[in-house]
Amino acid sequence: MPEHTSGLRLSGLCFFLQILIIILFAVFVRYSPESSPDLCSQQLNCSRRKPDSGFQHPRFRDVHLRALLGFGLLVTFLGRYGPGSVAISILVVAFTVQWAVLIQGFLYFFLNGKIYVGAQSVVSADFCTAAILISTGAVRGRANPVQMLLLTLLGVTLFSLNEYILLSLMGVSDSGGSLTVHTFGAYFGLMISRILHQPHKDRRKEQQAVGQQSEVFAAAGTIYLWIFWPSFTSATAVGDNAEPWAMLNGYFSLAASTMATFVLSPVLYEEDTLRVVQIQDAALASAAVMGMAGEMLVTPFGALAAGFLAGLISSLGFRFLTPVLRSRLKTQDTCGVHNVHGLPGVLGALLGTLLAALATADAYGGRLELVFPLVAQGSRTATDQALCQLCALPVTLLLALLGGCLGG
């Protein structure tokens, strides 16, 4: 009977939210006229949001596949909760995309009382989806679908607010989401996990017991991450010339991070065979560390070094930091989002701060106006830009932690 009641609550909440979104779409949302000038040129709040230059199907497709197949299959390593987690991931994606189009639309694409949407609007919503899926990873197995939907409702709103503060008001460059996606998603989820803590229950090992079928699906999710994550990292890179740069930096970082996992895991766990989930963690850690710096002045050497360091930090975090967080801070991090997204995201923010300090015309050439437009215009020095990049970190952490307290 309680399970049936829970199902009815989920059904009622889904019905209410979907009807609400349909009404809001009917009132506010319109497609961007193909013949009109770029909407972002008419608005003050577009920030890094690139206007649609035609329907760029490969990027649109890659970002969606990463969200559904990469993150969706990612949670199948939870032997007990894997199948249900995949279903919840699809539910979260379905609701987040719609709600994010509305919330981000009011902030970025609102003109004359209407929200004008296009392919880039949905790509932007997919970035929000990634952050919410990261947050829900911290509470898998301990939050029911109704709670997941409510978490998503709040998380999308806070994500959009944090993104607006960083990108539009502060002028921070974070095209791949080291702060806005990975760091915010991780610490928002961790705070909710702390509030939902259940004493004397350590479920992470229980949930991670993997069977052959779970391992196969997790391997598929890892392969999808390898294929599509560089495209995700470069999806909002400014300028067509920046996209290959950001994509290659992400790919080099991905390769080095995976190698770091093979270096440390046999030493830390004394295992002859590496589990697929550990390679998943390495792939995600590399994306987090390269999210901000991917389109900046990162050489191939720098991308490899950053990715390798992210892989080492992630592996060491699982071995030494997670037990401390569980015992001292009572944080049950089901999917290990702190080590996979939080710490590498912070590292990526620090790397982005360092590279912003080098934002000069001599170093960046013609790309300076694309990556750091305020510096190129002379309204901000490279030092000021670096300080803004650095200040964005505590702003993100504060909003994520306060939002987590409110959500809990």
Side-chain angles (χ1 to χ4, degrees):
M1 186 65 181
E3 293 183 359
H4 180 65
T5 302
S6 177
L8 291 177
R9 289 176 181 174
L10 176 62
S11 175
L13 181 60
C14 287
F15 179 81
F16 170 76
L17 291 176
Q18 189 59 63
I19 295 300
L20 175 63
I21 288 177
I22 289 174
I23 294 173
L24 292 175
F25 264 61
V27 175
F28 293 107
V29 179
R30 300 293 185 269
Y31 284 120
S32 302
E34 295 181 355
S35 59
S36 67
D38 293 334
L39 287 172
C40 280
S41 65
Q42 304 175 27
Q43 300 180 81
L44 184 62
N45 299 333
C46 281
S47 183
R48 64 150 183 168
R49 296 300 181 191
K50 296 193 303 179
D52 298 319
S53 55
F55 184 81
Q56 298 171 325
H57 181 267
R59 180 187 299 135
F60 190 80
R61 174 202 61 205
D62 291 354
V63 173
H64 279 300
L65 284 173
R66 184 276 315 152
L68 285 170
L69 294 177
F71 271 121
L73 295 176
L74 184 69
V75 295
T76 56
F77 77 91
L78 301 172
R80 179 174 177 181
Y81 299 102
S85 290
V86 174
I88 291 177
S89 294
I90 295 174
L91 172 64
V92 168
V93 170
F95 176 63
T96 300
V97 168
Q98 299 177 75
W99 188 239
V101 165
L102 281 169
I103 301 300
Q104 292 178 334
F106 283 116
L107 294 175
Y108 295 103
F109 305 109
F110 193 69
L111 184 65
N112 298 327
K114 302 296 179 185
I115 298 171
Y116 290 93
V117 302
Q120 186 58 36
S121 304
V122 183
V123 171
S124 300
D126 274 329
F127 270 70
C128 181
T129 300
I132 301 305
L133 288 173
I134 291 169
S135 299
T136 59
V139 294
R140 295 283 174 162
R142 290 179 292 118
N144 59 47
V146 171
Q147 291 172 319
M148 287 290 193
L149 273 179
L150 295 177
L151 183 155
T152 301
L153 188 70
L154 175 63
V156 169
T157 305
L158 292 174
F159 169 89
S160 301
L161 177 61
N162 178 65
E163 186 184 56
Y164 176 73
I165 293 173
L166 266 57
L167 305 184
S168 291
L169 300 185
M170 298 179 62
V172 172
S173 177
D174 188 23
S175 65
S178 285
L179 281 177
T180 55
V181 175
H182 297 278
T183 304
F184 174 84
Y187 288 100
F188 176 66
L190 284 171
M191 179 55 68
I192 292 179
S193 176
R194 171 63 183 86
I195 295 175
L196 295 179
H197 171 68
Q198 299 175 357
H200 310 301
K201 289 187 179 181
D202 182 2
R203 296 187 174 185
R204 190 166 201 277
K205 292 183 179 179
E206 174 188 357
Q207 291 170 332
Q208 283 192 347
V210 291
Q212 184 175 1
Q213 184 178 9
S214 298
E215 194 80 359
V216 169
F217 280 109
T222 302
I223 292 171
Y224 275 108
L225 287 173
W226 260 82
I227 294 173
F228 295 111
W229 199 271
S231 296
F232 175 82
T233 304
S234 64
T236 59
V238 288
D240 294 335
N241 294 331
E243 292 168 16
W245 198 341
M247 187 178 298
L248 290 174
N249 283 333
Y251 197 76
F252 288 142
S253 175
L254 174 62
S257 181
T258 301
M259 290 295 292
T261 301
F262 279 89
V263 169
L264 275 184
S265 292
V267 176
L268 296 176
Y269 300 101
E270 300 180 355
E271 295 178 352
D272 295 331
T273 303
L274 204 67
R275 287 177 53 193
V276 174
V277 65
Q278 294 169 315
I279 304 175
Q280 285 181 340
D281 295 340
L284 294 166
S286 67
V289 75
M290 201 49 57
M292 179 180 288
E295 66 173 351
M296 296 182 186
L297 193 66
V298 180
T299 63
F301 152 77
L304 289 172
F308 190 70
L309 181 58
L312 295 177
I313 289 177
S314 178
S315 298
L316 291 171
F318 275 111
R319 182 64 179 86
F320 299 108
L321 186 56
T322 296
V324 175
L325 293 177
R326 186 185 302 125
S327 60
R328 299 291 179 85
L329 299 182
K330 311 303 181 184
T331 300
Q332 295 173 287
D333 185 4
T334 307
C335 292
V337 299
H338 184 240
N339 304 305
V340 177
H341 300 278
L343 291 178
V346 171
L347 177 62
L350 296 177
L351 176 60
T353 299
L354 174 63
L355 294 175
L358 305 175
T360 63
D362 292 337
Y364 279 82
R367 296 186 66 252
L368 181 64
E369 186 175 358
L370 296 175
V371 181
F372 299 110
L374 296 178
V375 177
Q377 296 166 9
S379 59
R380 179 179 290 179
T381 66
T383 302
D384 292 336
Q385 182 66 43
L387 288 175
C388 285
Q389 302 284 135
L390 184 60
C391 291
L393 178 58
V395 170
T396 298
L397 292 175
L398 180 62
L399 191 58
L401 295 177
L402 290 178
C405 291
L406 180 62

